[in-house]
Structure formats: structure tokens, C-alpha cells
Amino acid sequence: MTENAPASMYRTDEGMGLWEHRGKVAAVGVGHSPTARRWDGRAETCVGAISLIALRRAIEDAGVDPAEIDGLVMDPVTTTGAYWPKDKPVPPEVVGAFNSTDNPLDGIAGLSAEWILKNMPELTGIDFTMYGPGCMSNAICVAAQAVGDGLTHTCLVLKSWHNYEGRYYQGGANAGSDLPGTAALHALWGTPACYGTALQFAEYCRKYGKNHDMMAPFIENSRQNGLKFPEGYWASHRPEEITPEDYKAARWIAKPANLFDNDLPIMVSAAYLYTTAERARNMRQKPVYILNHAASNTRPRSLTPTLDEVEADTARTARKIYEGAGITAADLSFENMYDGFAQFHQFHIEGLGYRGMKFGEALDFYQTDISIHGPNPILPSGGNIGCGRSRFWMHTDSIQQIQERAGERQVTGVKPEIAVSGGPMPLGGRFTVWSATPD
Amino acid sequence: MKQGVVPDDLTRPFWEAANEHRLVIQSCVACKHLQHPPAPVCRVCGSDTVEWKEMSGRGTIYNYGVVHDCPIRLLQEDQPFNVAVVMLAEDPGIQMYSHLPGTPVDEVPVGAEVEVTFEATANGQMVPEWRVVGSSGEGGEQA
């Protein structure tokens, strides 16, 4: 049985000093599946199938013999908020198309390491599997620590998402007539997922004298960058820019968060190959070294984080990021922090002090040149707003930018040497520092 | 109308008090820390001796949003509606949500004083709600 990573594998505390494996672990392969808005019911497009595509592409990208791979770190939870209805039969033709596990929904509504290994017979050398649940940001921290600790030397990292018919989070308990007492304490009031972030943004605007319209350049830039990400949903299926006028006219979801402040749930999978710095030298791609990984385990005092709690935690996270990597904010070539919801990206980058930014200054920064061609790139991946909801575009982009193979997205106003990516939320996020060199 | 509530072991004292039109919050016997949502142990000192303490039912509006796209089916016909965050007078770190009955949509006076009231949910269980009692605070739309 594959276990969740122990808490000790995440670097959660301040004062831990340089990461003991700084520069000794590298990303050497990237693989993405095609995207889809929702599952069409076919075996070849189920979440298991697209995961196999991503994994095999990452292996091919790295130029590694699959038999040399000895580790797999992944997230077994694949839902975007869509759940398989209790009374809906599991399609036998989909289950039968693969080597199944005891769980008939494995590969359809979730994904175990066992399912992956049963369906990738070429992975003959795997003797380490572990779950880094939550999102890719978690899984890559676990993989980096595992490689550094010597638990695996050549490790696949996987995150996949499934999405079904129906509106986001509108089934299950939300369609019912009552709620359990604990859930009711926050759920009775009918807040959508973006509400907490919208609250923080509202307080931010009051505190610093900003407004929602000031987010427009960030949204426009994110979609422009995302349309240069060929693996992304919008570039693949709906190459639509978002103009400032589109943004300002969009309908509210939870004011002050509108439609374009939210991302679009999609089906997609991505995989990376991590290895030791020594082995990476002989692989096909330029190694991207990991200088540090850091984590936040902070919980809000009550129902929803206050702006004070958010700012204190993003500042604390930045100190952990920089301390373990042995860098300062001035060393960052670019940033790729999370954006799904768009309205907390500024919390991440203000906490980082990106380009000397202080709290309350990000929205003014967004009014300057934040493009991939300028000296201050903001989210060159395009993030979830630019590519659809995956929570991993920023990691792929950081790797590809540093390898200087980001194609049309390649930053040109800075030399891509050191970057930071991570998320999701300011409280509870996981972060990675990437570098072109190991020291 | 709000969905009904089926009290569970952890929250039963809260819901039973609401049916008596009383607002109670969990409090640590050892360190006196108030916490909401409740938990089996104190989140500060770890003590498993927690009790329920009656609050004055007064607070202030800390923040709010306006819900236009609600995931709860029973509430969708009421869209758009306010959801405010109320801070309790006894401890501003303790938050409660409110639809602020009587306050027009997007005209929420942040910082204004509120007092608790109780409202029936779909299965008759009462739930704390809040009404503005003072005119202080910053009115007007979200930025």
C-alpha cells in the first residue's frame, strides 16, 4: 500500500537553514496529457489514460530507460470538485480496457499508484511509491525530499485531474436539503469556493485604496501567456484573449470576485522526472536544480483567513523559501506563484517581496510592464487563468523557462536563472525554488 | 431558505443552544481560548477539556462579499445576497457568517455593530443570524 508522505518530508518551519539537499536534486523531464473540459466517457480519455500519456511523455522527454526509474510520487485524488454519482454504474468497457485494481473507479474518479504500475509494465524497477496529496506543488516537494534522502534516485511525479458533466460543486450535499452540524457552521450561507479569497481581496482594496479594475492587466497578461502554452486548455481549445473590457464586464461570482477571477476546471495530467544532480548530467535535457522546497501549515484562527493572517503567512513563507535556498528576492529571475483564484496572486508575490514589492503594491505593479518580454515578468506560465485549472502550469513553465525551451513564452527581458513557483493558497501552500545551476 | 441542520456530536451543544435562542462558543477550560469552529481539543494548548460558553450576542461586521453564483440549490432563488463576516464582541478573532437580514444587497456597513438573532432553517433547526443595530461603519459597494 502506498502511504501519504509524512509531515516531516515538508519543510514547514523557519530557522531550518539551508536545505540539506540544495542543488542535489534536479528536474529533467516534463510530460503533459491533452486537456479536455470534461470526460467524454471513453476509456482512452479517462483520468488513468491521460496519466499514462503524461508519464510516458515525461520519460521520453528525459531520455531515460523506464527500467531505470525506481520511484513514483503522486496525488491519488483527482477530482476538480466532480464526484462519481453513487447510483451511476461504472462503465465496464472502461474498467476492462485497463488492468484494474480492487476499486472499480480507480483510473476513472481517482488514481492509485497500484493502478499506474499495473498499467505501465515498462516500469520494472519501481521500489518506492508515496502520495503527496493535494496538488502537484505537494507532490514535487515530496519527490525532491525523497530523491535527496536517497529513497529513490530516478522518480516520476504525477498529478492528474478528472472533471465530469455538471456545474462546479453543485451536486452532492449542496443539492440536498440538510447538512451535518459541523459542515453547516460555514456551508449554510452558500458561499462559492472563491468567497474566502474575495473577502481577503475586499479587505485588501479597503486597506490599500485599490479596486477590482486594477486586476485587469494581470488577467490580460495571464491569458496572453497561457495562449502561448500549447499544452494549455485555452490554447488548445478556445484561443480567446481576455481584454480589460471583457474582465470588467464579466459577471460576479462572489463580488468582488468575478468569472475571470476564477479558473476553469478541466481534465489534464502532468508528470515530471526528478533525479539526482549526478544522474541528471547524463540525461537528455538540461537539468533544472532544486535549491529548496518550503511549506506553510498555517490555519486561520476562525472561519476564514483575515488579510493580516494572509500577509503574516506569505511573509513567513518567503523567509522559509529564501533561507533554505540561500537566496534573496533579488535573485529571482521571475516568479510563477499560484493564481487560481487570481485574487491571491498578489498576496504571494508581495510576501516574496518580488522586485522589492511591499504589501499593498502589487496592483500598482500590475499597471507596469509585467510581460514576458519586460524586466519584471509576472506569472509567465499564464497559470490557471491562462491555461485552465491544473495547479501545475507554473511548475512546468519554471522548468522550461530555465531550460530555455519555453517556446513563445520564453522570457526575454531577464536571464532565466532562478525562479520560485508554488501554491495553492497562501495559507497551506507548498513551494519550490528552481535554478539553472546547482549552487 | 437555508438547508436544514443535523447536529453531530461535536456541534450538538451549539445547535441546541441556538434552538433556545442562545449563542454559545467553545472555550478551553485550561487556557480560556475561544474557538470556532469547535474541535475535540483546544487548538492552542491541546487540552481536551473544553466547554461551551454563552456569548453576549453582540459583534461587528468585519468584512463581506455578495454571492451571485451560489452552489447551494436551496439558496439560489435568493441570489444575489450578502454574506458578511461578523467578529464577536468577546473576541474579534472569532468569526461567524451572516446573510445580514434587513441589510440591502451590497450596502453592508463594514465596522457596524450587529446583534444576534435566530432564524429557522429548512428542518426547523434554529441558526444564529445577525442584524445591524448601529449606523457606524463604512457603507457602500465593494471596490
Side-chain angles (χ1 to χ4, degrees):
Chain A
M1 281 290 286
T2 299
E3 304 283 342
N4 285 348
S8 60
M9 291 191 78
Y10 297 100
R11 289 173 54 82
T12 308
D13 298 324
E14 285 192 73
M16 295 178 75
L18 279 180
W19 181 37
E20 66 271 25
H21 306 307
R22 178 182 186 273
K24 296 174 186 169
V25 180
V28 290
V30 174
H32 278 242
S33 74
T35 59
R37 178 76 172 94
R38 304 175 195 280
W39 186 38
D40 60 10
R42 293 181 298 137
E44 56 266 40
T45 55
C46 70
V47 72
I50 64 173
S51 301
L52 301 181
I53 292 171
L55 288 163
R56 287 178 171 135
R57 286 180 176 175
I59 296 167
E60 184 183 357
D61 188 53
V64 172
D65 180 347
E68 289 180 26
I69 297 167
D70 67 342
L72 172 65
V73 175
M74 56 182 283
D75 182 357
V77 178
T78 58
T79 182
T80 54
Y83 292 92
W84 193 264
K86 277 182 187 169
D87 53 353
K88 185 175 178 179
V90 181
E93 69 278 13
V94 177
V95 176
F98 301 96
N99 296 313
S100 57
T101 65
D102 293 341
N103 173 9
L105 284 172
D106 208 349
I108 295 175
L111 196 60
S112 69
E114 183 187 6
W115 191 97
I116 292 293
L117 297 181
K118 277 176 173 271
N119 288 284
M120 289 188 73
E122 66 270 41
L123 295 177
T124 55
I126 300 273
D127 56 17
F128 171 80
T129 59
M130 188 168 273
Y131 292 136
C135 58
M136 183 66 97
S137 295
N138 299 37
I140 58 176
C141 290
V142 172
Q145 191 65 39
V147 172
D149 289 347
L151 300 173
T152 164
H153 57 69
T154 308
C155 183
L156 286 163
V157 199
L158 174 71
K159 173 62 196 179
S160 305
W161 297 93
H162 73 253
N163 193 32
Y164 305 141
E165 293 300 318
R167 291 207 59 206
Y168 189 45
Y169 285 127
Q170 299 218 354
N174 288 345
S177 58
D178 53 45
L179 287 169
T182 300
L185 292 174
H186 59 85
L188 270 184
W189 286 266
T191 55
C194 64
Y195 170 77
T197 302
L199 281 180
Q200 294 153 22
F201 184 78
E203 187 177 6
Y204 179 94
C205 288
R206 282 195 299 274
K207 180 174 180 178
Y208 297 115
K210 310 303 175 190
N211 61 66
H212 184 262
D213 287 356
M214 294 179 76
M215 287 289 292
F218 170 76
I219 299 289
E220 182 181 34
N221 179 68
S222 295
R223 182 58 65 81
Q224 284 174 347
N225 293 347
L227 293 178
K228 297 181 175 70
F229 211 136
E231 296 91 341
Y233 174 81
W234 294 98
S236 304
H237 300 280
R238 294 173 58 185
E240 303 161 7
E241 296 206 349
I242 305 175
T243 67
E245 292 71 31
D246 294 333
Y247 177 67
K248 294 171 190 174
R251 68 183 177 88
W252 298 112
I253 302 296
K255 190 181 178 186
N258 75 12
L259 185 67
F260 292 130
D261 295 312
N262 288 258
D263 53 16
L264 188 76
I266 58 172
M267 290 197 63
V268 64
S269 177
Y272 306 133
L273 194 75
Y274 274 31
T275 190
T276 63
E278 285 178 6
R279 286 174 180 260
R281 289 191 199 106
N282 299 319
M283 292 185 184
R284 180 182 295 158
Q285 305 297 343
K286 174 182 171 180
V288 177
Y289 298 94
I290 295 163
L291 297 186
N292 187 26
H293 64 89
S296 158
N297 271 357
T298 306
R299 299 182 61 175
R301 166 86 194 278
S302 192
L303 295 175
T304 189
T306 65
L307 182 60
D308 284 348
E309 287 177 314
V310 169
E311 291 184 342
D313 205 53
T314 56
R316 188 160 45 236
T317 293
R319 291 193 295 272
K320 287 183 271 191
I321 287 171
Y322 295 141
E323 179 191 24
I327 62 169
T328 70
D331 293 310
L332 294 176
S333 310
F334 59 92
E335 64 83 21
N336 250 325
M337 301 295 266
Y338 189 59
D339 69 324
F341 308 106
Q343 291 177 332
F344 58 58
H345 190 78
Q346 78 277 357
F347 299 139
H348 282 304
I349 62 174
E350 288 176 359
L352 284 175
Y354 181 64
R355 296 296 188 267
M357 199 180 294
K358 296 183 175 60
F359 289 121
E361 295 182 353
L363 270 58
D364 291 320
F365 196 84
Y366 289 168
Q367 314 309 308
T368 67
D369 181 4
I370 58 173
S371 75
I372 54 174
H373 303 302
N376 304 312
I378 290 283
L379 197 57
S381 66
N384 279 21
I385 300 302
C387 303
R389 184 182 183 199
S390 78
R391 298 179 176 169
F392 51 58
W393 308 109
M394 67 279 198
H395 304 309
T396 297
D397 183 68
S398 296
I399 296 168
Q400 293 180 337
Q401 292 284 358
I402 289 173
Q403 291 174 326
E404 300 193 63
R405 57 175 186 139
E408 280 190 70
R409 288 188 330 280
Q410 188 66 49
V411 293
T412 58
V414 294
K415 192 168 189 308
E417 294 177 313
I418 295 179
V420 59
S421 60
M425 309 296 273
L427 272 65
R430 305 283 188 265
F431 307 89
T432 294
V433 181
W434 314 88
S435 174
T437 61
D439 44 20
Chain B
M1 170 169 267
K2 292 179 177 69
Q3 290 168 289
V5 179
V6 180
D8 47 27
D9 289 346
L10 182 62
T11 60
R12 185 164 288 108
F14 178 89
W15 297 113
E16 287 177 351
N19 285 341
E20 298 165 0
H21 289 208
R22 294 185 299 114
L23 175 65
V24 297
I25 295 291
Q26 205 180 43
S27 172
C28 175
V29 172
C31 74
K32 311 302 180 194
H33 176 75
L34 293 176
Q35 59 186 15
H36 184 76
V41 298
C42 174
R43 292 196 186 93
V44 170
C45 73
S47 167
D48 60 1
T49 311
V50 289
E51 63 183 0
W52 292 85
K53 194 170 175 183
E54 186 161 343
M55 300 288 110
S56 65
R58 301 194 67 85
T60 55
I61 298 172
Y62 158 63
N63 204 347
Y64 81 102
V66 181
V67 173
H68 290 250
D69 195 340
C70 171
I72 305 288
R73 190 167 296 166
L74 281 180
L75 289 172
Q76 287 171 350
E77 65 185 29
D78 299 327
Q79 294 174 167
F81 53 81
N82 297 318
V83 182
V85 181
V86 169
M87 306 185 303
L88 295 195
E90 286 82 356
D91 182 341
I94 299 296
Q95 303 167 337
M96 302 198 76
Y97 287 151
S98 174
H99 285 141
L100 288 182
T103 298
V105 173
D106 209 3
E107 293 181 26
V108 174
V110 173
E113 292 181 9
V114 289
E115 67 180 9
V116 74
T117 179
F118 291 87
E119 179 183 298
T121 64
N123 68 351
Q125 168 66 51
M126 303 301 283
V127 58
E129 262 296 356
W130 299 82
R131 286 185 180 276
V132 175
V133 292
S135 56
S136 59
E138 308 164 28
E141 286 186 64
Q142 293 282 17

